[in-house]
Amino acid sequence: MAHDGTRQDGYQVAKSEDEWRRELTPEQYAVLREAGTERPWTGELLDESRAGLYTCAACGAELFAAGTKFDSGCGWPSFYESVRPEAVELIEDTSLGMVRTEVRCANCGSHLGHVFPDGFGTPTGDRYCMNSISLNFTPEA
């Protein structure tokens, strides 16, 4: 942290944790800023099937096109690729006694979920397992 309380992680959007706490709901803050996980089958975007765009709930950056969303049966919205490789940041996560790949918004560093190499039947073979609360959805006009 810088002396003014802002994160200096090289993200386009750099806010202090106090600013994030004021802007996000407590539930959003727990997931986006503290890498929490919403309960499976509870997210409001799980069954969203309209054409449109998924963006970061913290900063509004474009993350996933609706056409890459698929029903993986895991209880969280799943996508097989991001809108651009540089839209997300992939970080090794060794918490919970296992090795996973955390997915963060490359624009603000907020936690979105994890990516797994088990997106069977998708063009990429990947399953970006995202928290609904980490995303906003804008349907196509």
Side-chain angles (χ1 to χ4, degrees):
M1 294 265 187
H3 68 280
D4 63 357
T6 58
R7 291 179 59 148
Q8 299 300 311
D9 299 331
Y11 297 110
Q12 288 284 107
V13 176
K15 297 180 183 182
S16 71
E17 291 308 307
D18 286 341
E19 288 175 294
W20 286 121
R21 282 184 203 280
R22 284 193 300 272
E23 294 177 17
L24 302 170
T25 67
E27 295 82 10
Q28 285 176 314
Y29 186 86
V31 173
L32 288 158
R33 304 308 304 168
E34 297 179 323
T37 302
E38 68 190 1
R39 289 190 351 267
W41 310 107
T42 62
E44 67 179 57
L45 296 175
L46 179 61
D47 296 320
E48 178 58 64
S49 60
R50 295 174 289 174
L53 187 65
Y54 292 85
T55 56
C56 177
C59 74
E62 295 181 355
L63 298 172
F64 300 97
T68 65
K69 188 172 189 264
F70 68 102
D71 182 2
S72 69
C74 71
W76 292 276
S78 297
F79 304 85
Y80 61 78
E81 69 184 353
S82 58
V83 292
R84 291 174 306 287
E86 64 274 11
V88 295
E89 178 180 25
L90 305 179
I91 298 169
E92 184 177 283
D93 175 2
T94 56
S95 66
L96 304 179
M98 62 182 107
V99 178
R100 301 179 294 171
T101 302
E102 179 185 5
V103 180
R104 291 186 189 173
C105 173
N107 194 50
C108 71
S110 290
H111 174 78
L112 304 171
H114 290 85
V115 62
F116 302 96
D118 61 5
F120 306 114
T122 68
T124 63
D126 290 330
R127 174 175 57 95
Y128 285 81
C129 183
M130 303 292 97
N131 291 285
S132 282
I133 203 165
S134 296
L135 306 171
N136 286 327
F137 177 72
T138 304
E140 274 184 12

